[in-house]
Amino acid sequence: MLELRHLKTLHALRESDSLVEAAERLHLTQSALSHQFKELEERLGLPLFVRKTKPVRFTSAGLRLLQLADAVLPQLRSAERDLVRLAGGTAGRLHMAIECHSCFQWLMPTIDQFRDAWPEVELDLASGFSFAPLPALARGDLDLVVTSDPVELAGITYVPLFTYEAQLAVANQHPLAGKPHVTPEDLAGETLIHYPVERDRLDIFTRFLDPADVEPAGTRTAELTVMMLQLVASGRGVSCLPNWALHEYSSRGYVTAKKLGEKGLYATLYAGIRADMLDAPFMRDFLLTAKDTSFATLEGVSAARG
């Protein structure tokens, strides 16, 4: 009656909060996923979740199956890893760098799981803030780079991890806090606080202000997210951050998060990988673990579309 695909789809629905996003994660159409749920519910004679609720509200039957999924799916992944080890290919090197200041929130749990699963793989992590990691990747000095700014390089493939929304953090008393969304012109009189990276690597400039030919009144930098948001909360400026990094503070009423533009400003985070490493079993497992961890721990991310 029950199949592994049923547990995987229920798990994906819980992590995605909608049929649309769950279908994207599973690389299915929404209609195919809906049919799969309907078929299972007819077999069981029980509904598994309440339709048209957000976040998705599961029935008692759905919650029981999710308990089973939480118990079985990790064991399945573990068994698959063991089989790969038995077939060989357990050793290797995974040296990585990140170009995202906010990525540690989900990357460190990913690395912890990976170390436990692949103890024979030499793992090293470096910050890409003080050097150019993508050229180092192309040279073979690195094996993986987490970036939101892919650059076409020979022998490098970019695997999308997830899509997120870049939002503007403003003080709760700021005049922009009451607007439905922020326009580029709204920032002409503002101090923009950002991470200490080049301007051409910041979406707030390249995709929002520069196309509108708008320059902020001033800029200042801070290395840590919490430092940036302390400055924002005290009225020293505004800051553009990924929604997952901002949610922790906006949900507590520390600052207010605003949409950039009427339609929002969205970006995708990628793992840049050398082509010769793509088929390494431990690399494939790292990417799966990274995606699972990000969807499980980050608020507001969705399946990457590109």
Side-chain angles (χ1 to χ4, degrees):
M1 182 178 293
L2 287 176
E3 302 175 25
L4 283 174
R5 64 189 177 98
H6 297 141
L7 300 182
K8 290 179 179 179
T9 52
L10 272 173
H11 179 268
L13 181 59
R14 181 183 62 187
E15 299 303 323
S16 304
D17 273 347
S18 76
L19 279 172
V20 175
E21 291 186 16
E24 290 175 353
R25 289 191 62 183
L26 295 166
H27 305 291
L28 297 172
T29 64
Q30 184 180 352
S31 60
L33 187 59
S34 297
H35 178 75
Q36 187 179 127
F37 279 125
K38 183 179 179 181
E39 180 187 32
L40 178 59
E41 288 175 330
E42 289 177 350
R43 286 193 202 176
L44 297 174
L46 292 166
L48 296 176
F49 62 95
V50 181
R51 265 63 175 178
K52 298 181 180 179
T53 59
K54 191 172 179 64
V56 176
R57 186 154 54 91
F58 290 92
T59 64
S60 296
L63 292 172
R64 180 62 186 90
L65 289 184
L66 282 171
Q67 289 179 345
L68 179 63
D70 289 338
V72 170
L73 294 181
Q75 292 185 45
L76 177 65
R77 287 284 298 278
S78 178
E80 289 172 341
R81 288 165 176 160
D82 289 342
L83 291 172
V84 170
R85 289 192 181 95
L86 290 173
T90 61
R93 186 194 81 166
L94 182 51
H95 288 188
M96 70 183 77
I98 59 174
E99 287 189 333
C100 168
H101 282 71
S102 308
C103 286
F104 288 102
Q105 183 175 345
W106 60 269
L107 188 59
M108 298 316 293
T110 298
I111 288 174
D112 288 341
Q113 290 184 48
F114 183 82
R115 280 199 178 103
D116 291 340
W118 300 90
E120 300 91 346
V121 174
E122 178 190 339
L123 185 64
D124 191 28
L125 173 64
S127 166
F129 311 138
S130 57
F131 71 102
L134 289 177
L137 178 65
R139 291 194 305 268
D141 299 336
L142 295 171
D143 306 304
L144 182 149
V145 173
V146 178
T147 181
S148 59
D149 301 300
V151 177
E152 188 173 346
L153 294 170
I156 303 301
T157 298
Y158 293 94
V159 178
L161 297 174
F162 56 82
T163 294
Y164 63 93
E165 182 181 1
Q167 297 179 328
L168 191 73
V170 302
N172 294 329
Q173 302 79 20
H174 197 288
L176 292 177
K179 293 194 63 175
H181 64 269
V182 176
T183 67
E185 291 73 21
D186 289 331
L187 302 186
E190 301 292 335
T191 296
L192 185 62
I193 304 166
H194 59 80
Y195 294 117
V197 299
E198 295 84 353
R199 176 180 173 131
D200 61 6
R201 289 171 54 194
L202 295 169
D203 286 343
I204 186 67
F205 284 110
T206 61
R207 298 177 53 208
F208 191 69
L209 293 175
D210 291 348
D213 197 24
V214 172
E215 190 71 21
T219 62
R220 66 182 295 177
T221 63
E223 293 189 357
L224 300 177
T225 303
V226 65
M227 293 172 58
M228 296 169 66
L229 291 176
Q230 284 178 347
L231 291 169
V232 169
S234 61
R236 306 292 182 86
V238 298
S239 184
C240 177
L241 290 167
N243 54 353
W244 87 77
L246 186 49
H247 179 265
E248 177 184 353
Y249 303 90
S250 62
S251 64
R252 297 177 182 176
Y254 192 63
V255 295
T256 298
K258 304 304 299 182
K259 186 178 289 290
L260 287 164
E262 186 175 358
K263 297 182 179 179
L265 183 64
Y266 292 86
T268 297
L269 200 66
Y270 297 87
I273 305 167
R274 294 202 320 278
D276 62 296
M277 293 287 293
L278 271 175
D279 292 329
F282 61 83
M283 181 65 80
R284 294 199 304 268
D285 188 66
F286 180 85
L287 293 174
L288 285 172
T289 303
K291 289 182 180 182
D292 286 347
T293 303
S294 61
F295 283 114
T297 60
L298 302 182
E299 182 72 24
V301 302
S302 59
R305 295 167 173 79

